[in-house]
Amino acid sequence: MTRTPILTTTLGTLTLKNPFILASAPPTASVDGIRRGFHAGWGGAVVKTIHADGMDVKDVSPRFSAWKGTGGELLGFENMELLSKKSVSYWESGIAALKEEYPDHILIASIMGDTDPASWQDLAVRVQDAGCDAIELNVSCPHGMPEAGVGAAIGQNPPLVERLTRDVVRVATVPVFVKMTPNITDITLPARAAACGGAAGISAINSVQSIFGVDIESFEPQPSVGGQGTHGGYSGPAIKPIGLEKVAAIARAVPLPVMGIGGISRWEDAAEYLLLGASAVQVCTAVMWNGYGIVQEMNTGLLRYLEKKGFRSPDELQGAALPRLVSHQSLDRKDRIRPVLGLPEACNGCGRCVIACRDGGYDAIRLREKRLVFNPAACDGCGLCIKVCPAGALAAERYRV
Ligand SMILES: Cc1cc2nc3c(=O)[nH]c(=O)nc-3n(C[C@H](O)[C@H](O)[C@H](O)COP(=O)(O)O)c2cc1C
């Protein structure tokens, strides 16, 4: 019997049309933007972080840097942007309007108060009275806000995370998610603290603290604001491996739903997050780069994948890869690979594998008359040669010792 899959996704007590949520960021900076996102097919949105009126939040110009591949594709993105430019009252009426127009979409209000928990409580009450489905506490912004004692300054301090979560949960009538910073050695500590404080779920990760670069002529850190710079937050494809590791760690440590974030631009990325324990995913940079419309391919691609794998919904994917994530010590030392010329016609004798193997430690590949010769006795099975081959000519052959 064939089972037709659906994209309906469970996120704690919330039900999403699909697991794709716009992250708190420029694509959710206005009511109209969120409206266009919902229209394009996103299952939910987290409003760009709403801050308490009166907090000193003013953006700099410019505030972005981008690392691109040779084909112009985005590899990594850095921003030094702060919070929403709209007032709390703008968002109160905006949330109410969006929920009236899109009752079946999940709308989450990201909030940030000042160092007084009462300002977080006040924001929480105002956004939930406006009708949001959930609240996300931004205790993870890596730039600007920590200097004022909030953002990642809270998220890096588990006792503060627990206390603030508890304070907000005390007044909240909707689920409270806490958004984690990856800029901490052990992310399970603030995640556990949020759970102890009564959080309904965890969002992870916010951007990765970074300095994008320095202009070696002028010495100006990039992006340069009037000749000076500061650290920012790194996002996009380059941070996906960091996000995956953090989400898997949280999923195993805390019995709460997790929204996976970081470098998701294709349905395959989302599937990886779900397989490592996320219940749903949030996307920012890929939307800024390619527009809200990317969600259509994400929805159809994920649906086809579910069908192919025999799963009924994204819920069934959740955590399916976690049992295979083991300690380094328990990895099988008897299962090994060796390189073989899988596509001989693709090899043009460039010698990249020879150099990588020799200067990467083993000297197990030689080029003789433009033909590769492998020395199995010297090969350590590291697999570097396969990774550096620009033509994809090498393949891994598995064997057991
Ligand atoms: C320009 C920009 C602004 C952002 N603003 C916020 C924000 O206001 N609140 C927040 O919680 N996260 C903010 N983020 C972080 C994103 O929500 C997300 O956690 C991060 O970018 C990683 O996801 P991505 O790789 O899909 O971009 C921002 C990110 C970018 C690039």
Side-chain angles (χ1 to χ4, degrees):
M1 191 181 74
T2 54
R3 302 193 299 173
T4 310
I6 52 167
L7 286 175
T8 308
T9 303
T10 309
L11 178 66
T13 56
L14 306 173
T15 303
L16 288 150
K17 297 163 86 69
N18 61 58
F20 299 108
I21 302 172
L22 290 165
S24 176
T28 60
S30 71
V31 170
D32 190 49
I34 296 174
R35 191 178 280 130
R36 285 189 288 126
F38 284 167
H39 192 68
W42 292 86
V46 188
V47 175
K48 171 90 182 156
T49 300
I50 306 166
H51 61 84
D53 290 330
M55 277 167 74
D56 186 18
V57 176
K58 195 161 191 300
D59 270 322
V60 295
S61 166
R63 54 182 175 273
F64 298 146
S65 287
W67 178 34
K68 295 190 274 187
T70 46
E73 74 280 15
L74 182 71
L75 303 176
F77 189 63
E78 189 191 82
N79 85 90
M80 308 193 305
E81 181 167 302
L82 300 177
L83 314 176
S84 175
K85 293 181 176 51
K86 314 277 192 206
S87 66
V88 184
S89 58
Y90 168 91
W91 282 115
E92 283 177 303
S93 53
I95 289 167
L98 282 165
K99 279 311 295 181
E100 200 179 321
E101 270 178 75
Y102 296 93
D104 299 338
H105 288 69
I106 294 299
L107 188 59
I108 301 172
S110 167
I111 60 168
M112 186 190 291
D114 56 30
T115 50
D116 180 358
S119 69
W120 294 74
Q121 290 177 318
D122 176 62
L123 280 173
V125 170
R126 290 178 70 176
V127 294
Q128 76 191 12
D129 285 352
C132 68
D133 297 293
I135 291 167
E136 184 177 88
L137 305 184
N138 179 348
V139 293
S140 43
C141 178
H143 43 259
M145 306 320 297
E147 295 164 25
V150 288
I154 297 175
Q156 289 163 338
N157 185 327
L160 278 186
V161 171
E162 180 174 344
R163 211 174 313 144
L164 180 67
T165 307
R166 182 164 290 124
D167 286 337
V168 175
V169 167
R170 195 174 299 131
V171 298
T173 52
V174 294
V176 175
F177 288 79
V178 183
K179 185 167 178 180
M180 297 287 124
T181 171
N183 306 304
I184 185 165
T185 309
D186 183 356
I187 202 165
T188 66
L189 299 179
R192 283 198 175 98
C196 287
I202 305 292
S203 308
I205 54 175
N206 208 315
S207 49
V208 179
Q209 197 163 313
S210 57
I211 292 178
F212 190 80
V214 177
D215 184 317
I216 58 171
E217 290 304 323
S218 66
F219 305 169
E220 294 172 35
Q222 303 297 305
S224 167
V225 181
Q228 297 180 309
T230 191
H231 72 259
Y234 205 38
S235 63
I239 72 160
K240 191 182 88 175
I242 300 170
L244 287 175
E245 191 275 333
K246 301 294 181 209
V247 164
I250 294 167
R252 293 210 286 201
V254 174
L256 292 177
V258 182
M259 285 190 267
I261 320 167
I264 297 167
S265 45
R266 309 165 309 148
W267 69 264
E268 291 95 327
D269 304 323
E272 290 176 75
Y273 271 95
L274 298 175
L275 288 166
L276 285 176
S279 297
V281 295
Q282 295 183 19
V283 183
C284 159
T285 301
V287 179
M288 292 178 69
W289 207 255
N290 295 308
Y292 297 110
I294 59 169
V295 75
Q296 280 138 25
E297 174 57 29
M298 287 173 151
N299 276 324
T300 51
L302 185 63
L303 203 55
R304 255 186 253 122
Y305 170 72
L306 292 173
E307 190 157 27
K308 187 179 105 189
K309 301 300 274 182
F311 289 114
R312 251 175 312 191
S313 78
D315 292 352
E316 292 189 358
L317 284 184
Q318 196 196 320
L322 282 178
R324 292 174 180 268
L325 204 59
V326 298
S327 72
H328 193 281
Q329 284 302 317
S330 49
L331 289 172
D332 186 352
R333 262 66 181 174
K334 293 188 187 311
D335 202 66
R336 304 192 57 84
I337 62 150
R338 61 184 152 227
V340 290
L341 202 50
L343 275 180
E345 64 280 13
C347 177
N348 60 11
C350 72
R352 293 283 303 274
C353 59
V354 175
I355 294 168
C357 184
R358 186 192 62 210
D359 296 358
Y362 298 101
D363 200 10
I365 312 177
R366 293 282 161 88
L367 256 183
R368 282 204 198 110
E369 290 159 14
K370 287 205 155 196
R371 290 172 63 93
L372 295 179
V373 180
F374 300 101
N375 176 357
C379 175
D380 197 51
C382 70
L384 176 64
C385 53
I386 300 165
K387 299 295 171 203
V388 298
C389 176
L394 295 180
E397 186 178 75
R398 273 200 137 104
Y399 67 102
R400 287 192 70 76
V401 290

